């Protein structure tokens, strides 16, 4: 089920708000952890804190990936190229004249990926770097829906 990106004008703002919410929840848990707690209560609070920190960090990584994709597109529009040392490999390869239709599709796709919030999106750059650095890669995908 895909999301309709046109329904949300400020996708990045909403994700930044989620980062802020997670940070606030973590701060509240930190206060509780500093107080007196039963051993069981402390463990539960500490596990909850770890989970919230992991969620927040994943959102931050998604936002960084989105920003990197937008930066790559802007560099192309402005006439430059993203250098390999800036943030690993180029995310998109553009040749010739500016193709506004392709750029529009790329931007919408990146927004959709951010909105969908799939964890793998946060690791795209790392995955591309690994694929680029290895001569042979076997990618095995197991269907969760197979019976």
């Amino acid at each position: 089920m895909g999301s309709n990106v046109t329904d949300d004008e400020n996708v990045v703002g909403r994700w930044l708000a989620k980062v802020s919410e997670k940070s606030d929840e973590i701060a509240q848990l930190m206060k509780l952890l500093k107080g007196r707690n039963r051993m069981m209560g402390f463990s539960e609070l500490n596990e909850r804190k770890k989970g919230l920190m992991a969620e927040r960090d994943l959102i931050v990584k998604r936002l960084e990936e989105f920003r990197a994709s937008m930066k790559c597109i802007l560099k192309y529009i402005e006439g430059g190229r993203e250098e390999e040392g800036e943030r690993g490999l180029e995310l998109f390869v553009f040749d010739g004249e500016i193709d506004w239709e392709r750029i529009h599709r790329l931007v919408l796709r990146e927004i959709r990926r951010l909105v969908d919030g799939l964890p793998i999106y946060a690791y795209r750059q790392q995955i591309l770097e690994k694929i680029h650095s290895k001569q042979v890669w076997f990618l095995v995908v197991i269907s969760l829906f197979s019976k």
Side-chain angles (χ1 to χ4, degrees), residues 87-131:
R87 192 177 184 276
L89 302 171
E90 283 187 63
L91 291 174
F92 309 112
V93 177
F94 299 101
D95 292 321
E97 296 288 319
I98 294 178
D99 182 350
W100 292 106
E101 185 177 327
R102 179 176 179 221
I103 291 170
H104 178 72
R105 286 192 315 265
L106 285 172
V107 170
L108 288 178
R109 184 184 73 187
E110 292 302 304
I111 291 170
R112 188 172 42 253
R113 287 178 174 174
L114 181 62
V115 169
D116 290 346
L118 297 175
I120 197 167
Y121 181 66
Y123 299 99
R124 173 174 63 181
Q125 189 69 22
Q126 292 172 354
I127 293 168
L128 290 174
E129 288 171 1
K130 289 286 185 188
I131 290 170

Side-chain angles (χ1 to χ4, degrees), residues 35-140:
R36 291 189 146 181
N37 296 297
R38 295 183 341 246
M39 188 54 127
M40 185 64 145
F42 177 83
S43 296
E44 290 172 8
L45 290 173
N46 201 36
E47 287 301 312
R48 176 78 176 131
K49 181 187 90 169
K50 287 178 185 177
L52 287 170
M53 290 175 77
E55 287 179 48
R56 181 193 61 195
D57 293 346
L58 188 60
I59 293 169
V60 168
K61 285 182 181 182
R62 285 186 201 127
L63 285 168
E64 288 171 354
E65 189 61 38
F66 179 77
R67 286 184 178 125
S69 65
M70 293 302 106
K71 183 179 176 184
C72 183
I73 291 170
L74 282 174
K75 279 200 165 229
Y76 169 64
I77 292 170
E78 293 170 351
R81 288 184 56 124
E82 187 172 24
E83 313 228 339
E84 193 167 319
E86 285 185 46
R87 192 177 184 276
L89 302 171
E90 283 187 63
L91 291 174
F92 309 112
V93 177
F94 299 101
D95 292 321
E97 296 288 319
I98 294 178
D99 182 350
W100 292 106
E101 185 177 327
R102 179 176 179 221
I103 291 170
H104 178 72
R105 286 192 315 265
L106 285 172
V107 170
L108 288 178
R109 184 184 73 187
E110 292 302 304
I111 291 170
R112 188 172 42 253
R113 287 178 174 174
L114 181 62
V115 169
D116 290 346
L118 297 175
I120 197 167
Y121 181 66
Y123 299 99
R124 173 174 63 181
Q125 189 69 22
Q126 292 172 354
I127 293 168
L128 290 174
E129 288 171 1
K130 289 286 185 188
I131 290 170
H132 183 72
S133 69
K134 305 292 180 195
Q135 287 185 346
V136 178
W137 256 75
F138 290 97
L139 190 60
V140 177

